[in-house]
Amino acid sequence: MRVLALPVSYLFSAVVASLAMGCAGAPPPAAADPSAESLPPAHETTSKPAAKTAAKQEKTEAAKPAEEDTAPPKKPAIPTPEFKPGMSVNAATSAVPDGIPRLNMEQDVLSAPLQNPDTYAPCKPNAAQHFKLRLAVWNGKVVGLDLSVTPKNAGFESCLREQLLKLEWKDRVESLNTIEYAF
């Protein structure tokens, strides 16, 4: 009787390989041939379309950061103008930084509170009292005011300034609008 003496590692490799193949009748691995170990088993080969799809995904993923880099840079936020109390219309106009878009309010909307006699009633104007005013309006509030009163009356002028600075418009746009009015 002849006994074949096989190395234990070969037997172990053959058992593991047959279990990995599911014992589905796949041929046992070839004898310990070093070149056979570097080749993938027949059932693990990938089809060409799957390989192309994987390659396309890698290219797409690699291209994403490049696309993000080429996106147009975000425009820096335009600073809000800083209006100080008691500014003239020219000073308010100068306080608005360049680049802020111009959004016009309708002149009849701007003039509506100025045409209302109740606006001036607390100042008790008499028939001889006249005034000219120019307003700068930002976001529904007066930010600049030029006022001249004839005949000169400091109390009446002070009262008018106070009343005009209290005005607010329902339409609010973050843009400077000006209006002139005479009474």
PDB file of all heavy atoms in Angstrom, residues 65-88:
ATOM      1  N   PRO A  65     -14.790  67.912  -6.209  1.00  0.00           N
ATOM      2  CA  PRO A  65     -14.090  69.014  -5.544  1.00  0.00           C
ATOM      3  C   PRO A  65     -13.610  70.063  -6.540  1.00  0.00           C
ATOM      4  O   PRO A  65     -13.627  71.242  -6.254  1.00  0.00           O
ATOM      5  CB  PRO A  65     -12.916  68.336  -4.840  1.00  0.00           C
ATOM      6  CG  PRO A  65     -13.347  66.915  -4.678  1.00  0.00           C
ATOM      7  CD  PRO A  65     -14.240  66.622  -5.851  1.00  0.00           C
ATOM      8  N   ALA A  66     -13.221  69.640  -7.745  1.00  0.00           N
ATOM      9  CA  ALA A  66     -12.771  70.605  -8.736  1.00  0.00           C
ATOM     10  C   ALA A  66     -13.929  71.502  -9.164  1.00  0.00           C
ATOM     11  O   ALA A  66     -13.746  72.689  -9.382  1.00  0.00           O
ATOM     12  CB  ALA A  66     -12.176  69.885  -9.935  1.00  0.00           C
ATOM     13  N   GLU A  67     -15.129  70.943  -9.299  1.00  0.00           N
ATOM     14  CA  GLU A  67     -16.286  71.746  -9.668  1.00  0.00           C
ATOM     15  C   GLU A  67     -16.607  72.755  -8.586  1.00  0.00           C
ATOM     16  O   GLU A  67     -16.961  73.888  -8.860  1.00  0.00           O
ATOM     17  CB  GLU A  67     -17.506  70.853  -9.915  1.00  0.00           C
ATOM     18  CG  GLU A  67     -17.401  70.023 -11.180  1.00  0.00           C
ATOM     19  CD  GLU A  67     -18.547  69.039 -11.313  1.00  0.00           C
ATOM     20  OE1 GLU A  67     -19.477  69.079 -10.490  1.00  0.00           O
ATOM     21  OE2 GLU A  67     -18.503  68.218 -12.241  1.00  0.00           O
ATOM     22  N   GLU A  68     -16.484  72.342  -7.334  1.00  0.00           N
ATOM     23  CA  GLU A  68     -16.762  73.254  -6.227  1.00  0.00           C
ATOM     24  C   GLU A  68     -15.775  74.402  -6.221  1.00  0.00           C
ATOM     25  O   GLU A  68     -16.106  75.523  -5.903  1.00  0.00           O
ATOM     26  CB  GLU A  68     -16.719  72.508  -4.892  1.00  0.00           C
ATOM     27  CG  GLU A  68     -17.871  71.536  -4.721  1.00  0.00           C
ATOM     28  CD  GLU A  68     -17.727  70.674  -3.486  1.00  0.00           C
ATOM     29  OE1 GLU A  68     -16.762  70.885  -2.727  1.00  0.00           O
ATOM     30  OE2 GLU A  68     -18.563  69.791  -3.296  1.00  0.00           O
ATOM     31  N   ASP A  69     -14.510  74.109  -6.605  1.00  0.00           N
ATOM     32  CA  ASP A  69     -13.493  75.148  -6.627  1.00  0.00           C
ATOM     33  C   ASP A  69     -13.735  76.150  -7.751  1.00  0.00           C
ATOM     34  O   ASP A  69     -13.382  77.308  -7.634  1.00  0.00           O
ATOM     35  CB  ASP A  69     -12.100  74.530  -6.794  1.00  0.00           C
ATOM     36  CG  ASP A  69     -11.694  73.708  -5.574  1.00  0.00           C
ATOM     37  OD1 ASP A  69     -12.286  73.918  -4.504  1.00  0.00           O
ATOM     38  OD2 ASP A  69     -10.781  72.867  -5.712  1.00  0.00           O
ATOM     39  N   THR A  70     -14.352  75.685  -8.854  1.00  0.00           N
ATOM     40  CA  THR A  70     -14.564  76.572  -9.984  1.00  0.00           C
ATOM     41  C   THR A  70     -15.878  77.331  -9.878  1.00  0.00           C
ATOM     42  O   THR A  70     -16.181  78.141 -10.729  1.00  0.00           O
ATOM     43  CB  THR A  70     -14.547  75.784 -11.311  1.00  0.00           C
ATOM     44  OG1 THR A  70     -15.579  74.803 -11.279  1.00  0.00           O
ATOM     45  CG2 THR A  70     -13.196  75.129 -11.530  1.00  0.00           C
ATOM     46  N   ALA A  71     -16.675  77.068  -8.858  1.00  0.00           N
ATOM     47  CA  ALA A  71     -17.935  77.781  -8.682  1.00  0.00           C
ATOM     48  C   ALA A  71     -17.627  79.258  -8.439  1.00  0.00           C
ATOM     49  O   ALA A  71     -16.618  79.598  -7.824  1.00  0.00           O
ATOM     50  CB  ALA A  71     -18.724  77.215  -7.505  1.00  0.00           C
ATOM     51  N   PRO A  72     -18.491  80.145  -8.936  1.00  0.00           N
ATOM     52  CA  PRO A  72     -18.209  81.572  -8.742  1.00  0.00           C
ATOM     53  C   PRO A  72     -18.191  81.906  -7.254  1.00  0.00           C
ATOM     54  O   PRO A  72     -19.004  81.405  -6.491  1.00  0.00           O
ATOM     55  CB  PRO A  72     -19.375  82.279  -9.441  1.00  0.00           C
ATOM     56  CG  PRO A  72     -20.441  81.254  -9.589  1.00  0.00           C
ATOM     57  CD  PRO A  72     -19.753  79.918  -9.603  1.00  0.00           C
ATOM     58  N   PRO A  73     -17.248  82.721  -6.848  1.00  0.00           N
ATOM     59  CA  PRO A  73     -17.173  83.063  -5.427  1.00  0.00           C
ATOM     60  C   PRO A  73     -18.400  83.861  -5.007  1.00  0.00           C
ATOM     61  O   PRO A  73     -18.964  84.621  -5.799  1.00  0.00           O
ATOM     62  CB  PRO A  73     -15.901  83.917  -5.323  1.00  0.00           C
ATOM     63  CG  PRO A  73     -15.694  84.443  -6.703  1.00  0.00           C
ATOM     64  CD  PRO A  73     -16.258  83.412  -7.649  1.00  0.00           C
ATOM     65  N   LYS A  74     -18.791  83.662  -3.755  1.00  0.00           N
ATOM     66  CA  LYS A  74     -19.938  84.405  -3.234  1.00  0.00           C
ATOM     67  C   LYS A  74     -19.564  85.869  -3.109  1.00  0.00           C
ATOM     68  O   LYS A  74     -18.444  86.208  -2.738  1.00  0.00           O
ATOM     69  CB  LYS A  74     -20.355  83.863  -1.864  1.00  0.00           C
ATOM     70  CG  LYS A  74     -20.918  82.475  -1.933  1.00  0.00           C
ATOM     71  CD  LYS A  74     -21.362  82.018  -0.574  1.00  0.00           C
ATOM     72  CE  LYS A  74     -21.943  80.625  -0.638  1.00  0.00           C
ATOM     73  NZ  LYS A  74     -22.360  80.150   0.670  1.00  0.00           N
ATOM     74  N   LYS A  75     -20.531  86.719  -3.442  1.00  0.00           N
ATOM     75  CA  LYS A  75     -20.292  88.152  -3.332  1.00  0.00           C
ATOM     76  C   LYS A  75     -20.235  88.529  -1.853  1.00  0.00           C
ATOM     77  O   LYS A  75     -21.028  88.042  -1.059  1.00  0.00           O
ATOM     78  CB  LYS A  75     -21.414  88.936  -4.010  1.00  0.00           C
ATOM     79  CG  LYS A  75     -21.447  88.744  -5.507  1.00  0.00           C
ATOM     80  CD  LYS A  75     -22.560  89.557  -6.119  1.00  0.00           C
ATOM     81  CE  LYS A  75     -22.630  89.319  -7.615  1.00  0.00           C
ATOM     82  NZ  LYS A  75     -23.720  90.054  -8.225  1.00  0.00           N
ATOM     83  N   PRO A  76     -19.292  89.380  -1.510  1.00  0.00           N
ATOM     84  CA  PRO A  76     -19.233  89.796  -0.113  1.00  0.00           C
ATOM     85  C   PRO A  76     -20.484  90.596   0.249  1.00  0.00           C
ATOM     86  O   PRO A  76     -21.047  91.302  -0.579  1.00  0.00           O
ATOM     87  CB  PRO A  76     -17.973  90.662  -0.039  1.00  0.00           C
ATOM     88  CG  PRO A  76     -17.713  91.081  -1.446  1.00  0.00           C
ATOM     89  CD  PRO A  76     -18.294  90.008  -2.338  1.00  0.00           C
ATOM     90  N   ALA A  77     -20.905  90.440   1.465  1.00  0.00           N
ATOM     91  CA  ALA A  77     -22.099  91.152   1.933  1.00  0.00           C
ATOM     92  C   ALA A  77     -21.830  92.656   1.914  1.00  0.00           C
ATOM     93  O   ALA A  77     -20.768  93.122   2.315  1.00  0.00           O
ATOM     94  CB  ALA A  77     -22.466  90.706   3.338  1.00  0.00           C
ATOM     95  N   ILE A  78     -22.796  93.387   1.413  1.00  0.00           N
ATOM     96  CA  ILE A  78     -22.663  94.835   1.360  1.00  0.00           C
ATOM     97  C   ILE A  78     -23.015  95.372   2.740  1.00  0.00           C
ATOM     98  O   ILE A  78     -24.070  95.049   3.286  1.00  0.00           O
ATOM     99  CB  ILE A  78     -23.591  95.423   0.277  1.00  0.00           C
ATOM    100  CG1 ILE A  78     -23.191  94.868  -1.089  1.00  0.00           C
ATOM    101  CG2 ILE A  78     -23.522  96.941   0.276  1.00  0.00           C
ATOM    102  CD1 ILE A  78     -24.147  95.215  -2.197  1.00  0.00           C
ATOM    103  N   PRO A  79     -22.147  96.188   3.303  1.00  0.00           N
ATOM    104  CA  PRO A  79     -22.415  96.685   4.656  1.00  0.00           C
ATOM    105  C   PRO A  79     -23.631  97.616   4.694  1.00  0.00           C
ATOM    106  O   PRO A  79     -23.918  98.320   3.736  1.00  0.00           O
ATOM    107  CB  PRO A  79     -21.144  97.445   5.024  1.00  0.00           C
ATOM    108  CG  PRO A  79     -20.517  97.796   3.723  1.00  0.00           C
ATOM    109  CD  PRO A  79     -20.923  96.729   2.743  1.00  0.00           C
ATOM    110  N   THR A  80     -24.328  97.569   5.815  1.00  0.00           N
ATOM    111  CA  THR A  80     -25.477  98.449   6.024  1.00  0.00           C
ATOM    112  C   THR A  80     -24.946  99.839   6.355  1.00  0.00           C
ATOM    113  O   THR A  80     -24.020  99.985   7.148  1.00  0.00           O
ATOM    114  CB  THR A  80     -26.342  97.930   7.183  1.00  0.00           C
ATOM    115  OG1 THR A  80     -26.728  96.593   6.871  1.00  0.00           O
ATOM    116  CG2 THR A  80     -27.578  98.774   7.376  1.00  0.00           C
ATOM    117  N   PRO A  81     -25.522 100.865   5.750  1.00  0.00           N
ATOM    118  CA  PRO A  81     -25.051 102.215   6.046  1.00  0.00           C
ATOM    119  C   PRO A  81     -25.270 102.583   7.510  1.00  0.00           C
ATOM    120  O   PRO A  81     -26.204 102.110   8.144  1.00  0.00           O
ATOM    121  CB  PRO A  81     -25.921 103.109   5.157  1.00  0.00           C
ATOM    122  CG  PRO A  81     -26.675 102.217   4.264  1.00  0.00           C
ATOM    123  CD  PRO A  81     -26.606 100.845   4.790  1.00  0.00           C
ATOM    124  N   GLU A  82     -24.398 103.401   8.014  1.00  0.00           N
ATOM    125  CA  GLU A  82     -24.524 103.859   9.396  1.00  0.00           C
ATOM    126  C   GLU A  82     -25.020 105.309   9.363  1.00  0.00           C
ATOM    127  O   GLU A  82     -24.283 106.225   8.986  1.00  0.00           O
ATOM    128  CB  GLU A  82     -23.173 103.783  10.106  1.00  0.00           C
ATOM    129  CG  GLU A  82     -23.262 104.091  11.561  1.00  0.00           C
ATOM    130  CD  GLU A  82     -21.930 103.901  12.265  1.00  0.00           C
ATOM    131  OE1 GLU A  82     -21.194 102.977  11.919  1.00  0.00           O
ATOM    132  OE2 GLU A  82     -21.644 104.702  13.173  1.00  0.00           O
ATOM    133  N   PHE A  83     -26.270 105.486   9.740  1.00  0.00           N
ATOM    134  CA  PHE A  83     -26.874 106.811   9.758  1.00  0.00           C
ATOM    135  C   PHE A  83     -26.827 107.356  11.176  1.00  0.00           C
ATOM    136  O   PHE A  83     -27.173 106.661  12.126  1.00  0.00           O
ATOM    137  CB  PHE A  83     -28.323 106.753   9.266  1.00  0.00           C
ATOM    138  CG  PHE A  83     -28.450 106.255   7.852  1.00  0.00           C
ATOM    139  CD1 PHE A  83     -28.988 105.007   7.590  1.00  0.00           C
ATOM    140  CD2 PHE A  83     -28.032 107.035   6.785  1.00  0.00           C
ATOM    141  CE1 PHE A  83     -29.116 104.548   6.293  1.00  0.00           C
ATOM    142  CE2 PHE A  83     -28.152 106.581   5.479  1.00  0.00           C
ATOM    143  CZ  PHE A  83     -28.695 105.331   5.237  1.00  0.00           C
ATOM    144  N   LYS A  84     -26.416 108.610  11.294  1.00  0.00           N
ATOM    145  CA  LYS A  84     -26.340 109.258  12.609  1.00  0.00           C
ATOM    146  C   LYS A  84     -27.521 110.208  12.762  1.00  0.00           C
ATOM    147  O   LYS A  84     -28.004 110.759  11.776  1.00  0.00           O
ATOM    148  CB  LYS A  84     -25.018 110.012  12.732  1.00  0.00           C
ATOM    149  CG  LYS A  84     -23.831 109.077  12.666  1.00  0.00           C
ATOM    150  CD  LYS A  84     -22.534 109.820  12.686  1.00  0.00           C
ATOM    151  CE  LYS A  84     -21.397 108.808  12.571  1.00  0.00           C
ATOM    152  NZ  LYS A  84     -20.155 109.419  12.187  1.00  0.00           N
ATOM    153  N   PRO A  85     -27.976 110.412  13.984  1.00  0.00           N
ATOM    154  CA  PRO A  85     -29.093 111.345  14.205  1.00  0.00           C
ATOM    155  C   PRO A  85     -28.724 112.748  13.727  1.00  0.00           C
ATOM    156  O   PRO A  85     -27.593 113.210  13.881  1.00  0.00           O
ATOM    157  CB  PRO A  85     -29.292 111.329  15.722  1.00  0.00           C
ATOM    158  CG  PRO A  85     -28.614 110.092  16.199  1.00  0.00           C
ATOM    159  CD  PRO A  85     -27.533 109.772  15.221  1.00  0.00           C
ATOM    160  N   GLY A  86     -29.722 113.444  13.143  1.00  0.00           N
ATOM    161  CA  GLY A  86     -29.523 114.824  12.710  1.00  0.00           C
ATOM    162  C   GLY A  86     -28.805 114.980  11.384  1.00  0.00           C
ATOM    163  O   GLY A  86     -28.354 116.076  11.059  1.00  0.00           O
ATOM    164  N   MET A  87     -28.685 113.924  10.605  1.00  0.00           N
ATOM    165  CA  MET A  87     -27.992 114.008   9.313  1.00  0.00           C
ATOM    166  C   MET A  87     -28.820 114.800   8.310  1.00  0.00           C
ATOM    167  O   MET A  87     -30.043 114.759   8.322  1.00  0.00           O
ATOM    168  CB  MET A  87     -27.742 112.610   8.729  1.00  0.00           C
ATOM    169  CG  MET A  87     -26.699 111.795   9.445  1.00  0.00           C
ATOM    170  SD  MET A  87     -26.455 110.183   8.655  1.00  0.00           S
ATOM    171  CE  MET A  87     -24.972 110.513   7.735  1.00  0.00           C
ATOM    172  N   SER A  88     -28.106 115.485   7.430  1.00  0.00           N
ATOM    173  CA  SER A  88     -28.767 116.139   6.300  1.00  0.00           C
ATOM    174  C   SER A  88     -29.000 115.076   5.222  1.00  0.00           C
ATOM    175  O   SER A  88     -28.482 113.959   5.313  1.00  0.00           O
ATOM    176  CB  SER A  88     -27.884 117.263   5.747  1.00  0.00           C
ATOM    177  OG  SER A  88     -26.733 116.700   5.133  1.00  0.00           O
TER     178      SER A  88
END
